[in-house]
Amino acid sequence: MSINGAMLAGVSGLTANAAALSTISQNIANVNTVGYKRAATEFSTVVNAQTQGVGYSAGGVQATARHFISQAGQLQRTTSGTDLAIAGQGFFVVTEKSENLTLSDARLFTRAGAFKIDDLGYLKNTSGLYLQGWPVASDGTVNADPSDMSRLRTINVGSVGGAAEPTTRVGLNANLKSSVEPDAAALARYAAGETMAAYKADATPPVGVKPDFEISIPVSDSKGGQQNLTVAFIKGANPNEWHAEVYAPAGKVMNADGTPMTVNAPIKSGIVKFTQDGRLDTTFTGPTALFPDPTNATITLGASPTTPPTTPIPGAPTPDVLWAADLGVATQTIAIDLGASTGGLTQYDSTS
């Protein structure tokens, strides 16, 4: 074996090892890449054919990368409603363009399901490829023929929709820390008419009463728009007693008679009480309670006033407040589950 042959054999080993390191680097670099499949390097011996003579020449080694493209990955939860994943075998079929596809256009396969909606309503992944799917006939049947991918169509969700549904029920799961010390000065201001709904820390001097705890509840109106209601609490002077308010952001609601609110006034206000074991006291009812019947707690938001004024629907619940005129939304009644849902509203000696 010549010196040159020995050196070439050693160089092939270094080259193969470099390829293996490159594969490892690629796997590490793509650890967070959606749909990426790991690669591995396999080594094989290079044997030179000895056709004549008795001399020997070392062949060395070569590296071959193996991509596990058909291996199923772990499904992950995301916050996007257009992200998809395949459990088990199979691939998404994608194309490089969304419209005017011909038989000569390539159909590609991927397991990456992070799709977004483009400006035209088509589903496109992070590589800029468009998702294909089987069209649905007018009778609801799907004519899927895996042998003929020309029947696939680019999926467009721009025209998919339905009637907006307003929120009708929410569950409130919250804890109020029982060992919170009542703030006598704050309670005095609250008794004098200041509210938690009007609290503004950045005002000079600060206005309103700072709540000991508050929680925001997102609700959908009749157009599907998101509005926010806030439930705020301040510890009362008596044990197991809290003053509570439900209010909306300034400018989102009006008084029930259609006049603007001069301040960010509460929609509902009153007292909530708890039993000695920290549960909501559902026996506490009456005009001073946040809800006269805690087991049937509801808030009615009347329709946005119009010109001419909106005609009340006969038999409809009396609204607590009206949605603001510029929202242009309909009446809705929201049932607030205070105690029957998992956990519900409690008063334990743990963090609010």
Side-chain angles (χ1 to χ4, degrees):
M1 180 177 70
S2 65
I3 294 297
N4 185 55
M7 293 180 65
L8 289 177
V11 170
S12 71
L14 292 174
T15 303
N17 192 56
L21 291 175
S22 297
T23 302
I24 296 172
S25 299
Q26 177 176 296
N27 290 337
I28 295 174
N30 288 278
V31 66
N32 291 321
T33 301
V34 175
Y36 175 76
K37 302 302 177 184
R38 69 181 181 90
T41 302
E42 297 179 347
F43 299 98
S44 59
T45 303
V46 176
V47 180
N48 289 343
Q50 308 294 326
T51 58
Q52 59 183 357
V54 295
Y56 173 75
S57 177
V61 64
Q62 68 178 5
T64 303
R66 180 182 178 188
H67 298 272
F68 296 86
I69 59 174
S70 60
Q71 188 178 65
Q74 183 178 4
L75 299 184
Q76 299 183 18
R77 184 182 299 276
T78 71
T79 57
S80 173
T82 56
D83 284 346
L84 305 173
I86 296 175
Q89 297 182 342
F91 292 90
F92 296 112
V93 181
V94 292
T95 56
E96 294 178 339
K97 62 182 184 180
S98 59
E99 300 175 341
N100 302 318
L101 292 169
T102 64
L103 293 176
S104 60
D105 290 311
R107 271 69 174 176
L108 309 175
F109 301 90
T110 181
R111 296 273 296 192
F115 292 98
K116 300 293 184 183
I117 302 175
D118 72 357
D119 295 339
L120 298 177
Y122 294 107
L123 289 179
K124 181 171 65 174
N125 67 10
T126 53
S127 299
L129 302 174
Y130 294 92
L131 180 63
Q132 304 292 299
W134 302 108
V136 181
S138 58
D139 61 357
T141 60
V142 179
N143 185 12
D145 183 1
S147 64
D148 186 5
M149 291 191 179
S150 64
R151 296 186 181 182
L152 291 169
R153 296 292 181 268
T154 309
I155 295 178
N156 189 304
V157 298
S159 60
V160 176
E165 290 291 338
T167 299
T168 58
R169 187 179 185 87
V170 298
L172 183 61
N173 295 307
N175 179 68
L176 305 177
K177 189 174 183 178
S178 62
S179 60
V180 171
E181 291 293 332
D183 186 334
L187 288 173
R189 296 200 312 274
Y190 192 76
E194 296 189 47
T195 66
M196 290 179 276
Y199 175 70
K200 289 182 175 60
D202 54 355
T204 305
V207 298
V209 178
K210 181 181 179 180
D212 290 323
F213 178 71
E214 62 182 5
I215 185 171
S216 180
I217 302 175
V219 300
S220 296
D221 58 33
S222 61
K223 292 181 178 178
Q226 180 172 309
Q227 311 297 337
N228 287 305
L229 300 180
T230 300
V231 186
F233 301 89
I234 183 174
K235 184 68 177 294
N238 299 321
N240 303 325
E241 179 182 285
W242 293 73
H243 297 277
E245 291 180 358
V246 182
Y247 59 90
K252 294 296 184 180
V253 294
M254 308 174 64
N255 293 321
D257 60 3
T259 58
M261 287 185 174
T262 56
V263 296
N264 192 18
I267 300 171
K268 290 274 190 181
S269 63
I271 296 173
V272 291
K273 289 188 176 183
F274 298 89
T275 60
Q276 292 181 339
D277 60 359
R279 296 287 184 180
L280 182 69
D281 186 357
T282 57
T283 65
F284 175 64
T285 60
T288 61
L290 177 63
F291 296 101
D293 181 2
T295 62
N296 186 29
T298 61
I299 289 177
T300 299
L301 299 142
S304 300
T306 60
T307 305
T310 305
T311 302
I313 300 175
T318 301
D320 297 295
V321 293
L322 306 180
W323 284 120
D326 60 348
L327 295 178
V329 294
T331 299
Q332 69 184 105
T333 297
I334 302 173
I336 301 180
D337 190 351
L338 296 175
S341 57
T342 304
L345 187 61
T346 59
Q347 183 201 226
Y348 299 129
D349 197 14
S350 55
T351 303
S352 293

